[in-house]
């Protein structure tokens, strides 16, 4: 018999359900089991006709899943015990069979907005109540719905792995480099979040838009499932579907997520970095307890500016900033921005905040950044040193995108240095990373490149942040 083992980093049942449905339709003697991060498919290879039918249906109806890793196939001896799979309703995109039915004018389900997928061995359908509005016009913060997949290379610069992720059955939102001059002009951006049609409503919108020769549409949203692919790593940044749900292991939300990650990784002891836009902290889990042992204090811009004014050197930096970039200085003085908003204002980023700063960093295409000062003082991280460092590079004429790139490298380096100290102090080897700052590929790449020997753990199934 044929035995195929699929390393599958999710407990979701729908991919196994698709396989069972194809087994049933092809008439082949087969079984499909899912345990311990693996799906095992066994097929009778003595019935050539049924095997060919299974292969034909698989090529047409089996979707790609973003949770698939390695696949191995071999011929083995043994007996097949035919399986039965019943999958619960899942919030996934229309499958290839449904897409064919709804887009084929000859189909009885052509443009049928009531069509519900039942092809992953689900007895009960998933009812989607999405009311998202799609428009040909860009508004601030919009994502793009890819309506014509054949135009993807004309619109965006994506790796093959990113394309596979984008068009997987889960249909996550990913960050893309804009190639189309038209989209750049409409949005005023070089990078944007994009998504393939992810439910029946968006699929129908995409079909109608494509027929009207509109290869994309804009919409507000995309945080239902946000993912990133960096080097060989894949992570879910945030999600309200498909990702593994958290168990209630700790009352504190940050520690609870960390405990869930440690449990998934089978770590009894670990140190971790929570690099979140809502607050940065470092965590230690040992036999005694799990605690945030270092927590960055809340950033207060006006307090930081006051501290800078009391320092002779940094006061001069602020004075020079006022003289050379008066509008930026006045903006800082009159608003109480958060950390990423303040940094993006200094660097004259169009979209103020983490996302804008992150996209500005992606504009730098070289290697190696400036030495941005992100160190600790007696109580916490020294925000005045960080802002002073960034302002000094700004005054020296460094490109804004180069400084932004350097900021994210600095966060990565500080995280690595802090974790190394905690590993030594608490005699712990394992390292876990979490937090939505990993939506920035500069930071993610920095961790992977400089911390490779420590084998940092990034979950593939649990979202890194709320």
């Amino acid at each position: 018999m044929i035995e195929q083992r699929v390393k599958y980093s999710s407990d979701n049942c729908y991919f196994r359900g698709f396989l069972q449905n194809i087994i049933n339709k092809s008439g082949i003697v087969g079984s499909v089991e899912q345990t311990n991060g693996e799906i095992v498919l066994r097929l009778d290879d003595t019935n050539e006709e049924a095997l060919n039918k299974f292969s034909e249906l698989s090529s047409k109806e089996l979707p790609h899943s973003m949770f698939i890793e390695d696949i191995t196939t071999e011929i083995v001896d043994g007996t097949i015990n035919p399986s039965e799979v019943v999958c619960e309703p899942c919030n996934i995109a229309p499958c290839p069979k449904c897409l064919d039915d709804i887009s084929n004018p000859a189909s009885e389900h052509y443009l049928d907005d009531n069509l519900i997928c039942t092809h992953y061995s689900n007895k009960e359908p998933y009812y989607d109540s999405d009311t998202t509005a799609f428009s040909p016009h860009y508004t601030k913060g919009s994502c793009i719905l890819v309506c014509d997949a054949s135009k993807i290379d004309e619109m965006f610069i994506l790796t093959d792995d990113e394309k596979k992720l984008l068009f997987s059955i889960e249909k996550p939102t990913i960050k893309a480099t804009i190639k189309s001059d038209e989209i750049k002009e409409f949005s005023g951006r070089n990078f944007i979040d994009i998504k393939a049609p992810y439910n029946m409503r968006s699929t129908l919108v995409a079909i109608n838009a494509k027929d009207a020769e509109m290869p994309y549409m804009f919409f507000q949203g995309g945080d239902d499932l946000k993912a990133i692919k960096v080097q060989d790593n894949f992570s879910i940044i945030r999600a309200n579907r498909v990702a593994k749900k958290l168990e209630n292991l700790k009352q504190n939300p940050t520690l609870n997520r960390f405990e869930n990650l440690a449990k998934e990784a089978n770590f009894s002891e670990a140190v971790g970095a929570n690099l979140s836009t809502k607050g940065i902290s470092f965590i230690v889990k040992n036999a005694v307890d799990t605690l945030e042992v270092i927590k960055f204090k809340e950033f207060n811009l006006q307090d930081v500016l006051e501290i800078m004014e009391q320092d002779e050197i940094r006061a001069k930096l602020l004075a020079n900033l006022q003289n050379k970039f008066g509008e930026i200085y006045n903006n800082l003085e009159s608003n109480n921005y958060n950390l990423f908003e303040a940094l993006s204002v200094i660097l004259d980023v169009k979209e103020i905040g983490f996302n804008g700063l992150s996209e500005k960093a992606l504009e730098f295409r070289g290697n190696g950044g400036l030495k941005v000062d992100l160190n600790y003082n007696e109580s916490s991280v020294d925000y005045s040193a960080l802002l002073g460092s960034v302002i000094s590079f700004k005054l020296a004429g460094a490109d804004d995108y180069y400084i932004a790139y350097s900021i994210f490298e600095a966060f990565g380096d500080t995280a690595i240095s802090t974790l190394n100290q905690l590993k030594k102090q608490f005699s712990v080897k394992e390292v876990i990373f979490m937090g939505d700052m990993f939506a920035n590929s500069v930071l993610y790449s920095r961790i992977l490149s400089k911390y490779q020997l420590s084998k940092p753990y990034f979950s593939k199934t649990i979202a890194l942040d709320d």
Side-chain angles (χ1 to χ4, degrees):
M1 66 178 174
I2 299 172
E3 182 177 88
Q4 191 169 74
R5 292 182 175 270
V6 181
K7 188 177 180 183
Y8 195 75
S9 56
S10 174
D11 294 332
N12 289 317
C13 66
Y14 47 81
F15 192 76
R16 175 173 54 117
F18 282 120
L19 286 169
Q20 182 66 59
N21 184 62
I22 294 173
I23 288 174
N24 296 345
K25 289 178 68 174
S26 67
I28 197 169
V29 175
S31 68
V32 57
E33 300 172 356
Q34 183 173 358
T35 54
N36 300 322
E38 185 179 62
I39 294 176
V40 181
L41 173 68
R42 296 184 178 94
L43 299 173
D44 176 18
D45 58 355
T46 63
N47 186 333
E48 187 174 348
E49 182 180 353
L51 188 60
N52 288 337
K53 184 66 174 176
F54 178 88
S55 178
E56 178 188 348
L57 288 171
S58 294
S59 65
K60 291 180 179 179
E61 299 183 7
L62 185 63
H64 172 69
S65 171
M66 67 183 190
F67 296 113
I68 294 175
E69 297 183 53
D70 297 328
I71 301 176
T72 59
T73 305
E74 59 181 341
I75 304 297
V76 300
D77 295 326
T79 302
I80 297 175
N81 296 315
S83 58
E84 292 184 13
V85 175
V86 177
C87 187
E88 70 271 11
C90 296
N91 189 357
I92 53 176
C95 71
K97 179 66 169 67
C98 288
L99 290 177
D100 182 63
D101 286 343
I102 200 171
S103 60
N104 185 353
S107 167
E108 62 177 313
H109 294 295
Y110 179 58
L111 300 183
D112 180 3
D113 59 358
N114 292 314
L115 179 62
I116 296 173
C117 183
T118 56
H119 301 127
Y120 54 94
S121 305
N122 52 315
K123 289 186 176 180
E124 296 294 327
Y126 180 85
Y127 293 103
D128 190 10
S129 57
D130 182 30
T131 58
T132 300
F134 300 89
S135 170
H137 305 293
Y138 177 82
T139 55
K140 184 179 178 181
S142 288
C143 298
I144 279 182
L145 178 73
V146 178
C147 300
D148 187 349
S150 69
K151 306 282 189 182
I152 191 73
D153 291 327
E154 298 175 22
M155 296 187 287
F156 309 105
I157 300 172
L158 296 170
T159 65
D160 289 341
D161 284 341
E162 286 173 327
K163 291 175 192 175
K164 287 176 68 176
L165 182 60
L166 177 68
F167 293 113
S168 67
I169 189 66
E170 292 83 11
K171 300 297 189 293
T173 304
I174 66 171
K175 182 78 70 181
T177 302
I178 301 173
K179 183 178 182 181
S180 162
D181 290 336
E182 180 183 86
I183 297 176
K184 286 182 180 180
E185 184 179 350
F186 284 167
S187 65
R189 300 170 64 176
N190 294 312
F191 306 90
I192 197 166
D193 286 342
I194 66 173
K195 198 177 191 70
Y198 54 94
N199 58 12
M200 196 56 66
R201 177 182 177 83
S202 59
T203 299
L204 290 169
V205 168
I207 291 172
N208 289 321
K210 182 181 178 182
D211 288 345
E213 298 184 349
M214 299 171 64
Y216 61 90
M217 297 284 278
F218 295 105
F219 72 103
Q220 294 289 335
D223 272 357
D224 60 315
L225 181 62
K226 199 163 191 176
I228 186 170
K229 179 79 175 180
V230 178
Q231 299 176 22
D232 292 329
N233 270 46
F234 149 72
S235 294
I236 299 171
I237 303 302
R238 59 175 63 88
N240 58 29
R241 62 181 181 88
V242 174
K244 187 176 181 180
K245 294 182 179 179
L246 299 181
E247 299 178 46
N248 292 319
L249 304 177
K250 283 278 187 180
Q251 187 172 0
N252 178 295
T254 299
L255 295 180
N256 186 58
R257 187 172 299 275
F258 185 84
E259 284 283 18
N260 275 265
L261 293 168
K263 182 176 180 179
E264 179 185 66
N266 198 27
F267 293 163
S268 58
E269 295 184 329
V271 297
N274 174 43
L275 304 185
S276 173
T277 58
K278 296 182 286 294
I280 295 172
S281 62
F282 294 88
I283 303 164
V284 173
K285 172 182 171 63
N286 57 23
V288 179
D289 204 352
T290 301
L291 298 170
E292 289 179 281
V293 294
I294 299 174
K295 195 169 183 178
F296 283 18
K297 65 182 178 183
E298 186 176 350
F299 178 83
N300 185 294
L301 176 58
Q302 298 311 314
D303 288 347
V304 173
L305 292 176
E306 184 177 343
I307 292 171
M308 293 180 71
E309 290 286 3
Q310 295 169 5
D311 180 275
E312 182 179 355
I313 295 176
R314 290 170 187 158
K316 289 180 180 179
L317 286 174
L318 289 177
N320 290 336
L321 183 70
Q322 184 177 20
N323 291 333
K324 193 171 182 180
F325 301 100
E327 187 176 344
I328 290 175
Y329 177 85
N330 293 334
N331 200 353
L332 293 175
E333 280 286 324
S334 58
N335 291 283
N336 200 15
Y337 292 122
N338 67 34
L339 175 61
F340 297 105
E341 289 171 341
L343 291 170
S344 60
V345 166
I346 295 170
L347 299 183
D348 204 21
V349 175
K350 184 176 180 181
E351 182 184 345
I352 295 176
F354 176 83
N355 189 58
L357 185 68
S358 179
E359 291 186 0
K360 178 60 70 174
L362 298 180
E363 293 180 19
F364 179 65
R365 297 297 184 181
N367 289 311
L370 301 161
K371 184 62 177 176
V372 171
D373 191 349
L374 184 58
N375 298 311
Y376 298 100
N377 55 23
E378 294 180 359
S379 59
S380 181
V381 67
D382 190 346
Y383 291 124
S384 64
L386 171 59
L387 261 62
S389 179
V390 170
I391 290 171
S392 67
F393 287 127
K394 173 85 172 181
L395 293 170
D399 291 319
D400 290 332
Y401 59 76
Y402 190 28
I403 303 173
Y405 176 92
S406 304
I407 289 170
F408 284 99
E409 279 201 339
F411 274 109
D413 292 344
T414 296
I416 290 170
S417 175
T418 304
L419 289 169
N420 282 337
Q421 293 177 40
L422 293 176
K423 286 171 67 179
K424 184 176 181 180
Q425 180 180 349
F426 292 92
S427 300
V428 174
K429 293 182 179 180
E430 310 296 352
V431 181
I432 295 171
F433 285 96
M434 54 187 267
D436 62 352
M437 286 178 62
F438 286 104
N440 177 267
S441 59
V442 176
L443 172 62
Y444 205 143
S445 296
R446 188 71 167 182
I447 297 293
L448 294 178
S449 298
K450 294 198 69 175
Y451 218 38
Q452 188 175 18
L453 294 178
S454 293
K455 297 180 180 179
Y457 186 76
F458 286 90
S459 176
K460 294 180 174 65
T461 61
I462 297 174
L464 301 186
D465 213 325
D466 296 329

